[in-house]
Amino acid sequence: MSQIMLEIDDLKTYFRGEEGTVKAVDGVTITVGKGETVGVVGESGCGKSVTSLSTMRLLHDTPGKIVGGTIKFEGKNLLELSEKEMRQLRGNDMAMIFQEPMSSLNPVYKIGKQLEEVIRLHMKYNKKQARNHAVSMLKMVGLPRAEEIINEYPFQLSGGMRQRVMIAMAMACNPKLLIADEPTTALDVTIQAQILDLMRKLRDERDTAIMLITHDLGVVAEMCDRVVVMYAGKVVEETDVETLFTEPQHPYTKGLIGSIPKLGENAAKLESIPGNVPTPANMPKGCKFAPRCKSVMDICWEKDPELLKTDTNHTCRCWLYQDNDIENKEDLLEVSE
Ligand code: ADP
Ligand code: MG
């Protein structure tokens, strides 16, 4: 791999509540290289957003705490930085795009003011230079009438336009790492395609490392080099994007792929994975996916499998792929297809 930009290692982020501890992120390891786009996929509640918020150290609005692991950005452990040092990195070397741009744009300030603020915080520009840079960023993300938009308020823009403003803001200081958490989920399909195009273009021009969080495997197929599949706070599979679609291993991944609508297929016939992501109250003792797995075996109820290397470029957390002598393994593997 090229130069490593982000290295999340064995990250644990827990929420302590009245009903006990929720292990929202429980030993997650993700690496992103320069110019590389790594997808993080999994159903809602798997810990994707908590992983991204932990990486940006933006958990303070939540009861969540990082209780273990390291997060390195260009070799520096972010967990050891002061809040001030972290603020310097955020928006400068590392930027984040959220699903709902309204929550990260300030409704009472004009677009231009917000963009200029970000630019002036990190670049040595005077007011006029900052304004010019803001206009050119808005043009770069394909917003028409950039000179006018700069004097408008967030509510005056459509959802797709706001998301473009967010991308302009995130990319304004030329970050080395972009974390995009469901950047297109709230948008309709046409706008979604345009935003993905834009992100691809920016990445290719600037060699930005991207951690792209999504529950949409279509987005993964279009954007990513490598994919990390998460389930119940853990990584269950990781490989390159092509292998993920052609030779998925974990029954959960197979289920996710099976639920992608195929061209011409009746949506009603879509196979989704039966059951739900476990809640803290009913967290299984062994493999967290066991209650929903078509290939479940006795051992799965007893012990959580480890994330093991199954091929040169493939890891999987499943008893079917561990070194054991399960009798009817071939049949079970077939069932999970
Ligand atoms: P995803 O982004 O994959 O949909 P999240 O990372 O948002 O999932 O959440 C993972 C789990 O973390 C949730 O199911 C929930 O149990 C817990 N969690 C997330 N945010 C909070 C919060 N603010 N307070 C308490 N628990 C939370
Ligand atoms: Mg989320």
Side-chain angles (χ1 to χ4, degrees):
M1 196 184 1
S2 60
Q3 185 191 344
I4 292 177
M5 295 305 298
L6 176 69
E7 207 174 356
I8 302 175
D9 186 31
D10 202 23
L11 176 69
K12 295 183 178 157
T13 304
Y14 295 175
F15 290 82
R16 298 226 159 79
E18 280 167 14
E19 284 163 32
T21 300
V22 177
K23 298 179 175 179
V25 173
D26 198 17
V28 164
T29 296
I30 298 171
T31 325
V32 189
K34 190 172 183 196
E36 187 184 40
T37 302
V38 175
V40 180
V41 287
E43 290 161 295
S44 185
C46 281
K48 306 183 298 295
S49 293
V50 174
T51 302
S52 60
L53 290 174
S54 302
T55 306
M56 295 296 282
R57 289 217 357 224
L58 287 173
L59 284 167
H60 23 255
D61 291 341
T62 78
K65 286 245 167 354
I66 297 174
V67 298
T70 52
I71 303 172
K72 286 186 184 159
F73 173 69
E74 293 193 296
K76 274 190 300 261
N77 187 356
L78 298 181
L79 303 183
E80 287 169 355
L81 298 187
S82 68
E83 186 47 42
K84 190 170 166 224
E85 291 168 312
M86 204 53 217
R87 254 198 316 270
Q88 265 304 314
L89 279 183
R90 258 187 244 123
N92 201 10
D93 284 343
M94 31 195 310
M96 181 157 173
I97 310 174
F98 299 88
Q99 172 172 347
E100 188 24 79
M102 223 27 201
S103 61
S104 22
L105 288 172
N106 191 327
V108 302
Y109 291 122
K110 290 177 179 168
I111 300 294
K113 185 176 159 71
Q114 301 192 47
L115 254 171
E116 283 162 35
E117 215 159 71
V118 174
I119 293 165
R120 293 195 68 188
L121 195 65
H122 297 290
M123 295 163 118
K124 290 188 176 61
Y125 281 168
N126 64 29
K127 216 167 162 11
K128 182 141 187 281
Q129 289 168 318
R131 167 137 300 217
N132 288 341
H133 189 59
V135 171
S136 72
M137 287 307 296
L138 291 177
K139 284 184 177 156
M140 195 183 74
V141 296
L143 281 168
R145 319 183 283 111
E147 282 91 353
E148 291 167 45
I149 284 179
I150 227 153
N151 289 313
E152 290 175 5
Y153 292 93
F155 74 86
Q156 292 175 281
L157 307 181
S158 69
M161 287 166 90
R162 282 199 292 264
Q163 197 58 306
R164 280 172 198 258
V165 171
M166 272 307 297
I167 295 178
M169 243 162 149
M171 300 301 278
C173 301
N174 207 357
K176 296 172 181 166
L177 172 72
L178 178 68
I179 299 179
D181 190 349
E182 309 265 8
T184 58
T185 302
L187 306 173
D188 72 50
V189 193
T190 324
I191 310 291
Q192 172 170 337
Q194 291 170 4
I195 300 281
L196 294 178
D197 266 349
L198 170 66
M199 286 176 58
R200 241 192 322 251
K201 184 171 143 250
L202 292 173
R203 171 194 63 193
D204 295 346
E205 278 171 12
R206 303 167 169 211
D207 240 5
T208 318
I210 303 181
M211 178 158 95
L212 176 61
I213 290 169
T214 176
H215 66 271
D216 185 340
L217 279 173
V219 171
V220 167
E222 271 196 46
M223 295 288 295
C224 299
D225 302 304
R226 257 179 333 112
V227 192
V228 170
V229 182
M230 278 184 72
Y231 190 76
K234 292 180 188 240
V235 173
V236 296
E237 183 160 2
E238 176 178 353
T239 187
D240 63 90
V241 71
E242 206 180 306
T243 309
L244 190 91
F245 286 100
T246 54
E247 298 164 58
Q249 292 181 338
H250 201 285
Y252 179 58
T253 313
K254 290 177 184 172
L256 286 180
I257 291 172
S259 64
I260 306 175
K262 291 179 192 70
L263 209 61
E265 198 174 63
N266 185 343
K269 276 200 328 212
L270 261 185
E271 188 192 2
S272 66
I273 310 170
N276 298 304
V277 177
T279 59
N282 64 12
M283 196 54 78
K285 178 177 157 210
C287 172
K288 309 296 170 246
F289 188 60
R292 302 172 74 186
C293 184
K294 285 182 187 171
S295 309
V296 66
M297 305 171 284
D298 289 345
I299 190 169
C300 309
W301 299 106
E302 293 302 320
K303 271 175 76 179
D304 203 5
E306 282 175 61
L307 185 66
L308 290 185
K309 203 168 171 140
T310 50
D311 212 331
T312 37
N313 182 29
H314 209 151
T315 55
C316 180
R317 184 192 294 278
C318 175
W319 282 114
L320 288 170
Y321 295 87
Q322 317 257 323
D323 190 17
N324 51 31
D325 45 7
I326 294 158
E327 269 173 30
N328 53 344
K329 206 173 193 171
E330 293 307 312
D331 300 342
L332 288 166
L333 277 169
E334 210 162 285
V335 173
S336 74
E337 295 298 321

